[in-house]
Coordinates of all heavy atoms in Angstrom, one line a residue:
S26 N -6.8 2.3 13.2 CA -7.7 2.2 12.0 C -7.1 1.3 11.1 O -5.9 1.3 10.7 CB -7.8 3.6 11.4 OG -8.4 3.5 10.2
Q31 N -13.8 -5.3 1.7 CA -15.2 -5.7 1.9 C -15.7 -6.3 0.6 O -15.4 -5.8 -0.5 CB -16.0 -4.5 2.3 CG -17.5 -4.8 2.5 CD -18.2 -3.6 3.0 OE1 -17.7 -2.5 3.2 NE2 -19.5 -3.7 3.1
L48 N -15.5 -7.9 16.3 CA -15.4 -8.9 17.4 C -14.7 -10.1 17.0 O -13.9 -10.7 17.8 CB -16.8 -9.2 17.9 CG -17.6 -8.0 18.6 CD1 -19.0 -8.5 18.9 CD2 -16.9 -7.6 19.9
G53 N -9.6 -13.5 18.4 CA -8.6 -14.6 18.1 C -7.9 -14.4 16.8 O -8.3 -13.5 16.0
K95 N 11.8 -11.9 8.9 CA 12.3 -13.0 8.1 C 11.1 -13.8 7.5 O 11.1 -14.2 6.3 CB 13.1 -14.0 8.9 CG 13.7 -15.1 8.0 CD 14.7 -15.9 8.8 CE 15.3 -17.0 8.0 NZ 16.3 -17.9 8.7
T99 N 10.1 -14.3 3.6 CA 9.9 -15.6 3.1 C 8.6 -15.7 2.3 O 8.5 -16.5 1.4 CB 10.0 -16.6 4.3 OG1 11.3 -16.5 4.9 CG2 9.8 -18.0 3.8
Y110 N -1.1 -19.0 2.5 CA -1.7 -17.8 3.2 C -1.8 -16.6 2.2 O -2.3 -15.6 2.7 CB -0.8 -17.4 4.4 CG -0.7 -18.6 5.4 CD1 0.5 -19.3 5.4 CD2 -1.7 -18.9 6.2 CE1 0.6 -20.4 6.3 CE2 -1.6 -20.0 7.1 CZ -0.4 -20.7 7.1 OH -0.3 -21.8 8.0
L128 N 19.8 -12.8 8.3 CA 19.1 -11.6 8.4 C 19.5 -10.8 9.7 O 19.5 -11.4 10.8 CB 17.6 -11.8 8.4 CG 16.7 -10.6 8.6 CD1 16.9 -9.6 7.4 CD2 15.2 -11.0 8.7
N193 N 24.8 -0.6 -5.2 CA 26.0 -0.5 -4.4 C 25.8 0.3 -3.1 O 26.6 0.3 -2.3 CB 27.1 0.2 -5.2 CG 26.6 1.6 -5.8 OD1 25.6 1.6 -6.4 ND2 27.4 2.6 -5.7
P217 N 10.6 11.4 -7.3 CA 9.5 10.4 -7.1 C 8.5 10.8 -6.1 O 8.8 11.3 -5.0 CB 10.4 9.2 -6.7 CG 11.5 9.8 -5.9 CD 11.8 11.1 -6.6
S232 N -12.1 -5.1 -3.1 CA -11.3 -3.9 -3.5 C -10.0 -3.8 -2.6 O -10.0 -4.3 -1.5 CB -12.1 -2.7 -3.4 OG -12.3 -2.3 -2.1
L240 N 7.3 9.6 -11.5 CA 8.4 10.5 -11.6 C 7.9 11.9 -12.1 O 7.3 11.9 -13.2 CB 9.5 10.0 -12.5 CG 10.1 8.7 -12.1 CD1 11.1 8.2 -13.2 CD2 10.8 8.8 -10.8
V241 N 8.0 12.9 -11.3 CA 7.4 14.2 -11.6 C 8.6 15.2 -11.7 O 9.7 15.0 -11.3 CB 6.4 14.7 -10.5 CG1 5.3 13.7 -10.4 CG2 7.1 14.9 -9.2
K247 N 6.3 17.8 -2.5 CA 6.0 16.4 -2.8 C 4.6 16.1 -2.5 O 4.0 15.3 -3.3 CB 6.9 15.5 -1.9 CG 8.4 15.4 -2.4 CD 9.1 14.3 -1.7 CE 8.6 13.0 -2.1 NZ 9.4 11.8 -1.6
T270 N -12.2 12.8 -9.2 CA -12.7 13.2 -10.5 C -11.7 14.2 -11.1 O -10.9 14.8 -10.4 CB -14.1 13.9 -10.4 OG1 -13.9 15.2 -9.8 CG2 -15.0 13.1 -9.5
S274 N -9.7 19.8 -7.4 CA -8.5 20.7 -7.3 C -8.0 20.8 -5.9 O -8.7 20.6 -4.9 CB -8.9 22.1 -7.8 OG -9.8 22.7 -7.0
A296 N -22.1 18.4 -3.0 CA -22.8 19.5 -2.4 C -22.5 19.5 -0.9 O -21.9 18.6 -0.4 CB -24.3 19.3 -2.6
D299 N -22.7 16.5 1.7 CA -22.7 15.2 1.0 C -21.6 14.3 1.6 O -20.4 14.8 1.8 CB -22.4 15.4 -0.5 CG -23.7 15.6 -1.3 OD1 -24.8 15.4 -0.7 OD2 -23.6 16.0 -2.5
L305 N -11.8 7.9 -2.1 CA -11.2 9.2 -2.2 C -10.5 9.5 -0.9 O -9.3 9.9 -0.9 CB -12.2 10.2 -2.6 CG -11.7 11.6 -3.0 CD1 -12.7 12.4 -3.8 CD2 -11.4 12.5 -1.7
A317 N 4.8 12.3 3.3 CA 5.1 13.2 4.4 C 5.5 12.5 5.7 O 5.1 12.9 6.8 CB 3.8 14.0 4.7
N318 N 6.4 11.5 5.5 CA 7.0 10.8 6.6 C 5.9 10.2 7.6 O 6.1 10.4 8.8 CB 8.0 11.7 7.3 CG 9.1 12.1 6.5 OD1 9.7 11.3 5.7 ND2 9.5 13.4 6.5
D325 N -10.1 18.6 4.1 CA -11.2 19.6 4.0 C -11.7 19.5 2.6 O -10.9 19.5 1.6 CB -10.7 21.0 4.3 CG -11.8 22.0 3.9 OD1 -12.8 22.1 4.6 OD2 -11.6 22.8 2.9
T330 N -17.5 21.2 7.4 CA -17.1 21.2 8.8 C -16.8 19.7 9.2 O -16.0 19.5 10.2 CB -18.1 21.8 9.8 OG1 -19.3 21.2 9.6 CG2 -18.2 23.3 9.5
I335 N -19.1 7.5 2.5 CA -20.4 6.9 2.3 C -20.6 5.7 3.2 O -21.7 5.6 3.8 CB -20.6 6.5 0.8 CG1 -20.6 7.8 0.0 CG2 -21.9 5.8 0.6 CD1 -20.7 7.6 -1.5

Side-chain angles (χ1 to χ4, degrees):
S26 172
Q31 182 177 353
L48 291 173
K95 185 174 183 179
T99 300
Y110 301 102
L128 174 64
N193 54 312
S232 70
L240 298 178
V241 301
K247 285 193 68 174
T270 73
S274 63
D299 271 349
L305 186 158
N318 298 316
D325 171 69
T330 56
I335 294 175

